[in-house]
Amino acid sequence: MTLARKLLAALTLIPASSAWSEATHYPLTLMNCGREIHIDTAPKRTVTIGQSATETLYALGLDNRVVGTSVWFTPVLPEFQEANADIERLADNDPSFEGVVNRRPGLVAAQYEWHVGPTGSVATRDQFQDLGIDTYIMPADCDTKDNATGGDGTRTAAFSTESVYKSIHELAAIFDVNDAGDKLIDELKEREGNAISRAESLSLPDDLSAVFWFSSPDDSSDPYVAGRLGAPGYMMDKLGIQNVIQSNEEWPTVGWETIARADPDIIVIATMDRRRYAADSAETKRDFLRNDPVAQEMSAVKNGHIIEMDAHAMSATMRTVYGLETLVEALSIQSFDR
């Protein structure tokens, strides 16, 4: 960028990265989760399958293009409450194929590949394409990830927030709101950098360890905990915390006896409105940790080092940056004697 353009960007108080974004040239071709997609024009009607896709579009100022949402874990971010209230929620969990199609979308934006992938729980991408409906899957769920392994998939490499920024950039291009995309990316990168810098000032123990507990089907079942390469793994890596779970699976089930033997210093529990499983409730998780004869003996439980985190931040989403901030804030008021 020339000096004149840098000066102009500074004088207008617009980040230089967003001041000169070019308009989208249609048709737009993107490679998305192993599939080439072609967007002929900015979609006027969009259905989202997954909270991450929904909130990303809201953050880009595109709520007026969203005609239906689905798959919610937690309440919408406060700044989007008013916009979200006027948009139909097709389902709290998976919507039906007919329910999505009946909203006459030009685009379906999905958070997880299992919803619209080769064995889509809602429908396959081909089924939507046969009706002239384009599909877009958030790259965080397929870049560095193999969803053909079943369950929540297996990471082939560590999650990076770059895949979140990639989805923002691509959705901004699809809807021709590139300036808004650049601005949002700049804001998130600043928050991410500030959180990491703050963590470095905390002087945390070098051998600090943690486990992230998302949920459990019931008290007798092994919990769903975070593997080492997903969004929680990214948070722990940035803060120098060891994940006691070494699986590459996104959310493996691991027995409490195994977790207790690893004796993590911190237990991070997911909070959510969803009530699909018995342990979706944070209070249910806390009750279990206090009363289970194995779990209650862990150092994290005895020392009160239990941190609550928005469940959606534990997924590979825009909110992962918020989760990083939550973790740093909680650690700033805890003491770890060695």
Side-chain angles (χ1 to χ4, degrees), residues 235-294:
M235 295 183 218
M236 286 184 271
D237 178 69
K238 292 300 182 185
L239 303 187
I241 300 172
Q242 177 188 352
N243 187 355
V244 301
I245 307 301
Q246 289 298 298
S247 173
N248 289 351
E249 290 182 49
E250 190 84 338
W251 292 101
T253 55
V254 179
W256 283 111
E257 293 81 3
T258 300
I259 297 172
R261 281 196 296 271
D263 198 23
D265 297 297
I266 304 161
I267 300 174
V268 184
I269 60 175
T271 63
M272 67 187 91
D273 280 5
R274 188 193 77 168
R275 291 297 181 264
R276 184 175 181 181
Y277 295 129
D280 283 350
S281 162
E283 190 53 43
T284 297
K285 293 184 182 77
R286 286 186 177 275
D287 285 343
F288 176 87
L289 293 173
R290 285 191 295 260
N291 298 307
D292 180 78
V294 173

Side-chain angles (χ1 to χ4, degrees), residues 98 110 130 177:
E98 293 77 11
D130 288 344
V177 291

Side-chain angles (χ1 to χ4, degrees), residues 117-130:
T119 58
S121 62
V122 177
T124 65
R125 300 184 85 166
D126 285 339
Q127 284 177 285
F128 282 115
Q129 195 62 55
D130 288 344

